[in-house]
Amino acid sequence: MGRVITITSGKGGVGKTTSTANLATALTSLGHRVVCIDTDIGLRNLDLIMGLEDHVVYNVVDVIEERATIAQALIRHKTLPDLFLLPASQSRDKSAIDELQMMILCNKLKNDFDFVLIDSPAGIEHGFRVSLAPADQVVIVTTPEVAALRDADRVVGILDRKDQLARCLVINRYREKMVRQGKMLTPSEVLEILSCQLIGIIPEDEEVINAAYDGRLVVQNQRSPAGREFFKTARRLLGEEIPFQKADTPTSLVDRLFGR
Ligand code: ADP
Ligand code: MG
């Protein structure tokens, strides 16, 4: 049986879709069979990031509403034969799928795939709950900024009510220089606010944007710092113990920002 991992954040624009595509690609290149589901209904994005936008015929809502079979709607990645995408619908709204339908869909996919990665929409409303319903594990993505952390903290609060659910954290768009200047939170300060298992610190890297521009993924480029860190993050997701580089500095921004 496969494992369902939901990638979520609360706040938009912090790197959920980027993380989903890169982690899925890394897991595939580590020998696993992976499907990504874009649950950002109405704001389809993952197909673009994966370079598959020209191949979209059916979408996840078509599958749920039985206009297409899973096999018809799945898009195989162009160069990685064990990586698939189930795209979001562009025209429907977020209420087009409910939690039970999503659980049934994922149960079917779990028979065929080692990993089902769900790219969650922003917010903590209906679409978020739907993306969370089938999860065996949750990856929370945040940037080390106060607004993103506050939203991530709300997500953690919601997850606290669902015990059993393993949750881990990816800190994205990390800028070491700003941390050294005391202008950005260190990973341990982030972890003081969000008690999760840290599995990745992804640096700010313009190669992420360059890659997305032409449908490549940064994780396939081992010369890119973000690419290398996404790869390590995927290996930690598989349970490997890979030490973090020393990224913390003794700033105390957290005291000021959160009144501790
Ligand atoms: P979300 O899915 O949470 O809304 P996205 O994955 O779409 O966020 O990312 C938002 C924007 O940030 C995109 O333009 C993406 O290319 C950019 N981005 C994400 N991670 C990084 C990074 N580590 N370095 C530079 N740009 C990034
Ligand atoms: Mg997104």
Side-chain angles (χ1 to χ4, degrees), residues 40-101:
D40 203 348
I41 310 297
L43 293 171
R44 192 169 87 199
N45 232 332
L46 191 54
D47 54 318
L48 263 179
I49 303 287
M50 293 175 76
L52 297 173
E53 69 277 16
D54 294 338
H55 300 258
V56 177
V57 180
Y58 296 109
N59 59 61
V60 62
V61 181
D62 291 326
V63 173
I64 299 263
E65 294 180 352
E66 296 183 348
R67 280 186 298 276
T69 62
I70 292 177
Q72 283 174 317
L74 282 179
I75 306 169
R76 189 191 289 264
H77 190 266
K78 284 180 278 191
T79 55
L80 298 165
D82 278 331
L83 176 60
F84 291 79
L85 167 70
L86 194 48
S89 143
Q90 188 69 303
S91 55
R92 298 291 298 275
D93 63 63
K94 289 192 168 73
S95 61
I97 302 180
D98 69 29
E99 292 170 61
L100 183 61
Q101 289 167 326

Side-chain angles (χ1 to χ4, degrees), residues 12-18 172-173 202-205 208-209:
V14 296
K16 291 178 292 299
T17 302
T18 304
N172 188 29
R173 308 197 80 157
I202 315 296
E204 173 79 25
D205 181 353
V208 172
I209 298 159

Side-chain angles (χ1 to χ4, degrees), residues 157-168:
I158 293 166
L159 296 179
D160 276 344
R161 283 177 246 139
K162 292 179 177 264
D163 35 83
Q164 305 288 318
L165 206 52
R167 59 175 191 226
C168 38

